[in-house]
Amino acid sequence: MGGTASLIASYRNQDGNTYGLQTVRDQAASAEQNRGVNVVAGVNGDIFNMQSGATSGALVMDGVAYNQHGNSNPTHGRPYFAIMEDGSAQIREANQSFDGVKEAIGVWEICVRNGQNVSGSSGNYQGEGNPRTAVGIKADGTVVLFVNDGRQAPYSTGLSWSGVADVMVSLGCVIAGHLDGGGSTTFVSQHEGEDGLTVRNRPSDTNERSVSTALLVTSSATPSGVFDHANLAPNNEIYTPGSSVQFSATGVDSAGGAAPLPEDGSFALADDSYGTITADGLFVSSGKIGTVTVNYMSGPLP
């Protein structure tokens, strides 16, 4: 992926030899404990046997090939997403060997090739709207992880396989593949200044499902604990004119870790015509319609 971010494949307790299921967040915790990484985000992985927990496709973790049957057979019958030894990402066709592969999970179907939607949508599950998870790669090597909710009208009705492929093309992917969807679809992340992972989507099972594999985003950035900037909440929300909104600020260091806020910090509006805001973040709208920008200020004001 580049910079301080990378992707790893994951399985329950990071043990591909022992079948079982585990939530994405619990897999992230086990990866941090057993592999010494800092996980900042993750999505569910490939389809699997819901009784045994056996993944249906490839599984390579830290250069060890477990495959779909917990052995080191170098080939398999389905495509897979891989992180290579040189750090680059690939989505490989069925039956390609694991030569040079450091991390890999199976892909249900390749839905984008050469920047074109090639997804098959036959069958009710594929053709109807459902929660989905997908992974894609742009021409510059950037990896795209995509999640959409579904089965929760009117909040979300989901996407078909072809609909997901259209989105991946619109995001610039030259190749992309479907991962498991439905109740398995999960996106977790750690926002700036937070200590743990939070489920950001709305899983259709209501609760986070235990799954087989996962793709985890790790960061090698070293936290300093020294304040660099503030993360404000709420962000990008919509309110009716005349509303009162309580804002909060979290201190963040240059690596995205938690840091104490400056003692002289206070909130301020970029444009006072939208209302007023107290030093501790209570915004009261003037009724003016538009985009309100809230700043957190420290030091001498301009």
Side-chain angles (χ1 to χ4, degrees), residues 227 261-268 296-302:
F227 178 80
L261 290 167
E263 293 183 0
D264 64 345
S266 63
F267 291 88
Y296 188 79
M297 311 294 289
S298 174
L301 298 180

Side-chain angles (χ1 to χ4, degrees), residues 44-64:
N44 64 287
D46 194 15
I47 57 175
F48 58 94
N49 184 308
M50 297 189 72
Q51 280 69 51
S52 69
T55 181
S56 297
L59 175 60
V60 180
M61 295 189 297
D62 202 16
V64 179

Side-chain angles (χ1 to χ4, degrees), residues 192 227-233 248-253 261-262 267 295-297:
E192 289 187 319
F227 178 80
D228 181 76
H229 61 279
N231 184 28
L232 304 189
S248 63
T250 302
V252 182
D253 67 19
L261 290 167
F267 291 88
N295 296 318
Y296 188 79
M297 311 294 289

Side-chain angles (χ1 to χ4, degrees), residues 189-208:
S189 70
Q190 177 180 318
H191 283 184
E192 289 187 319
E194 293 182 351
D195 293 325
L197 296 167
T198 299
V199 178
R200 304 296 177 183
N201 71 311
R202 296 188 189 180
S204 63
D205 283 359
T206 304
N207 297 314
E208 184 183 359

Side-chain angles (χ1 to χ4, degrees), residues 1 4 12 21 24 39 55 79 114 157 168 248 255 261 298 301:
M1 293 181 68
T4 59
R12 188 186 72 160
L21 301 172
V24 175
V39 179
T55 181
N114 300 317
T157 57
M168 300 304 276
S248 63
L261 290 167
S298 174
L301 298 180

